[in-house]
Amino acid sequence: MQHYSGFGLVKHALSHHENWQRQWRNPTPKKEYDVIIVGGGGHGLATAYYLAKVHGITNVAVIEKGWLGGGNTARNTTIVRSNYLWDESAALYEHSMKLWEGLSQDLNYNVMFSQRGVLNLGHTLQDMRDIQRRVNANRLNGIDGEVLDTKGVQDIVPIMDCSKNARYPVMGASWQPRAGVARHDAVAWGYARGADARGVDILQQTEVTGFKIHDGRVVGVHTNRGDIGAKTVGCVASGNSGVLAKMAGFKLPIESHPLQALVSEPLKPVLDTVVMSNHVHGYISQSDKGDLVIGAGIDGYVGYGQRGSYATVEHTLQAIVEMFPIFSRVRMNRQWGGIVDTCPDACPILSATPVKGLFFNCGWGTGGFKATPGSGHIFAATLAKGKAHPLAAPFSIDRFHTGALVDEHGAAGVAH
Ligand code: FAD
Ligand code: PYC
C-alpha cells in the first residue's frame, strides 16, 4: 500500500490497477546476516520490523519456506483480546493490545483493527465462577472487563437463543469491550513492508533444512538455497517448531494439532461483536464482508496436515446452530485448517535454547494472532540483547523443569 494524493487515487482507480509498486523486494540471500528469523508469519515479520525500528538492527533476513502469512497468520479467525487469568500472560497480551491500538498508524497500513468487543460465554455455575475470578484478575491488572448476566448478554446479542430451556443455556459471560478483530493478512503485509523499507531481506520460497552449530553455538542455517550465516537465529515457525527443534538437537514440550475454521456465504450485518464459548467448542463473528467466521476447538490427534476431521466441524456447527437458530439455513462457503503448536500449560515459549544464539518463539497454540505485535516487540528485544525481555522471562522453556507453569487453559478461549 502506498501513499496517494486524491489525484493519485483517482489515477490508480482508472488505471486497471497497473504499475503498482511492489510492497517489498525479492532479494538474493546474502552470505551472512546479523540476525536470521525463521518463519515469515506475523510473529516473524513483526520481530524483524521491531529489530529494525526499535533496535536499529537492519542486517536481518526473514526466511520463509512458502509465502508470507501462508501459515496460521492468514488461516486464523482474527480474534484479539487480552483477558487472560494470570499476571504473566495478562501482561503479555495487554502489551500486545496496546500495540494493536496504535498499529495502523505505526505501520501506516490499515490493519482494520476493530474493537467490537468479545463475549466469553458461561453455561454452568462453574463457568460463571471461573469468569468472575478471571474478570476480577483482569481488572486488578488494569484490563477492561465486565461480568454480564443472561440479560446483559441478550442485550448485546439479541439474535442468540438465551432462553432457559435452550440446549446450552447462557448464564452470562465475560465481556471485554476493547477486544475485537483485525485483518490478518494486512498485519503480515504491513509488518513486511515496514521491515523491508528498513533494509530487512524477506526471503520467500526458502526453507530452513538444518542449523549450522559449532561448539554449541549457532553460526547459521542450511536452506534449499544454500547456507546462510548468522550468530543469532530466532525460530518463529508455529506448528513446525517441533520439527525445527529436532533439527537443532533438542525437544520442545509441544504437540502440533489441526485447528479448523470455516466461513459462510456473506449476509447482511447481523452480528456486531464476537461470541466465544469454550464450553461448546465454538465461536462466531461476522466479517466486514458479511461472512460468518466460525471456529472450532482443536482436532484431538497430532498431525501436520492443514485440514481436520469432519466430526470436529460437525460438533461445532451443531452448537452454533443451537445458540443461533437464525443461522440454521446459512450455507458454508469454505473450510480450512492450520497447524497449531500447543504447550502443556496453554502458554507460549519465548526462550533461549540449549544452543547458544538460537532462540525460539512458539507454542502460541490456538491463540497467537492477538499476540502478534507484542510477541514481535518483546522477541526483538530478546534477540537484540541476547537475554529475555522481562515480559518474556516467565515463558522460558526452563519452566517445564522448574514447574513454574502458567496454566491458561481456562482463558485460552478455544479448547486445547
Ligand atoms: P505462522 O503464521 O504459521 O508462521 C510460521 C511460518 O513459518 C509459516 O509461514 C511457515 O511456512 C514457516 N516455516 C515453518 N517451517 C519453516 C522452515 N523450515 N523454513 C522456513 N519457514 C518455515 N489466534 C488468535 O489470537 N485469535 C484467533 O482468532 C485465532 N484463530 C485461529 C484459527 C485457526 C483456524 C488457526 C489455525 C489458528 C488460530 N489462531 C488464533 C492462532 C494463530 O493463528 C497463531 O497462533 C498465529 O498466527 C501464529 O503466528 P506465527 O507467525 O507464529 O505463525
Ligand atoms: O484465542 O481468542 C482466541 C481464539 C479465538 C479463536 C481462536 N483463538
Side-chain angles (χ1 to χ4, degrees):
M1 204 183 288
Q2 260 186 299
H3 267 141
Y4 290 118
S5 62
F7 176 72
L9 269 178
V10 173
K11 191 177 110 196
H12 278 279
L14 299 175
S15 74
H16 304 289
H17 301 287
E18 287 160 357
N19 303 322
W20 287 71
Q21 273 183 1
R22 285 189 174 276
Q23 299 191 58
W24 48 86
R25 296 160 298 126
N26 184 20
T28 305
K30 294 184 203 164
K31 283 212 156 36
E32 177 122 22
Y33 291 90
D34 292 336
V35 180
I36 285 175
I37 308 290
V38 184
H43 288 232
L45 292 162
T47 305
Y49 173 78
Y50 293 117
L51 268 175
K53 184 178 174 201
V54 179
H55 304 280
I57 301 175
T58 57
N59 186 24
V60 175
V62 176
I63 301 187
E64 166 54 51
K65 71 176 176 179
W67 64 95
L68 299 190
N72 288 337
T73 294
R75 290 166 188 270
N76 79 83
T77 45
T78 79
I79 298 172
V80 174
R81 57 189 174 85
S82 60
N83 53 357
Y84 281 72
L85 176 66
W86 296 106
D87 294 353
E88 296 86 345
S89 27
L92 177 63
Y93 290 102
E94 181 59 17
H95 180 60
S96 200
M97 179 67 89
K98 294 208 169 88
L99 290 169
W100 277 113
E101 287 174 328
L103 193 59
S104 292
Q105 288 78 3
D106 181 28
L107 296 175
N108 186 25
Y109 204 103
N110 188 359
V111 299
M112 297 168 74
F113 181 46
S114 158
Q115 291 176 291
R116 59 185 67 177
V118 171
L119 287 164
N120 294 93
L121 301 181
H123 302 280
T124 65
L125 200 53
Q126 188 57 46
D127 282 353
M128 291 312 297
R129 288 189 184 122
D130 293 343
I131 283 171
Q132 185 78 60
R133 180 179 177 212
R134 181 164 48 76
V135 171
N136 286 343
N138 291 160
R139 291 169 75 139
L140 287 170
N141 276 317
I143 296 169
D144 58 318
E146 278 173 54
V147 179
L148 302 181
D149 60 11
T150 311
K151 180 176 178 311
V153 175
Q154 188 82 84
D155 287 348
I156 293 177
V157 193
I159 60 169
M160 188 158 49
D161 182 1
C162 292
S163 60
K164 278 214 166 59
N165 54 2
R167 179 161 176 199
Y168 304 114
V170 175
M171 293 186 71
S174 69
W175 167 240
Q176 187 181 17
R178 281 163 69 238
V181 292
R183 174 68 197 261
H184 44 25
D185 31 30
V187 174
W189 300 336
Y191 276 122
R193 188 184 70 152
D196 172 87
R198 287 169 172 80
V200 171
D201 281 359
I202 296 171
L203 308 173
Q204 296 183 77
Q205 305 292 329
T206 309
E207 178 164 6
V208 169
T209 52
F211 295 93
K212 294 172 74 180
I213 298 170
H214 286 164
D215 294 333
R217 161 166 264 296
V218 74
V219 292
V221 295
H222 302 295
T223 82
N224 58 341
R225 296 171 75 186
D227 291 358
I228 308 178
K231 292 206 178 60
T232 303
V233 177
C235 288
V236 202
S238 195
N240 286 287
S241 304
V243 178
L244 282 163
K246 191 169 177 208
M247 289 178 196
F250 57 89
K251 256 186 119 170
L252 291 173
I254 274 187
E255 283 187 356
S256 291
H257 287 263
L259 181 68
Q260 302 189 60
L262 53 169
V263 290
S264 73
E265 60 189 340
L267 309 177
K268 287 195 174 160
V270 63
L271 181 62
D272 63 1
T273 188
V274 180
V275 181
M276 304 184 66
S277 171
N278 203 349
H279 195 114
V280 305
H281 301 309
Y283 59 91
I284 183 164
S285 67
Q286 187 172 22
S287 77
D288 295 339
K289 212 166 59 163
D291 321 349
L292 298 177
V293 181
I294 295 173
I298 56 168
D299 279 56
Y301 51 89
V302 293
Y304 292 96
Q306 288 175 313
R307 60 174 74 90
S309 64
Y310 182 69
T312 300
V313 276
E314 187 186 25
H315 170 82
T316 290
L317 284 179
Q318 67 78 17
I320 294 292
V321 170
E322 288 285 349
M323 293 193 296
F324 294 91
I326 189 176
F327 294 146
S328 64
R329 298 178 65 188
V330 174
R331 284 166 298 193
M332 291 298 131
N333 254 354
R334 287 182 292 118
Q335 170 275 352
W336 67 91
I339 318 162
V340 294
D341 47 343
T342 60
C343 275
D345 58 355
C347 273
I349 292 172
L350 287 146
S351 186
T353 69
V355 179
K356 284 200 192 72
L358 179 63
F359 296 80
F360 268 67
N361 176 348
C362 58
W364 294 94
T366 60
F369 177 68
K370 67 176 80 63
T372 306
S375 153
H377 194 255
I378 66 178
F379 198 50
T382 301
L383 297 180
K385 304 218 161 84
K387 72 175 211 316
H389 181 283
L391 291 177
F395 301 103
S396 143
I397 30 182
D398 292 347
R399 74 181 189 272
F400 300 102
H401 296 289
T402 62
L405 303 183
V406 187
D407 187 345
E408 284 291 0
H409 279 100
V414 171
H416 71 282

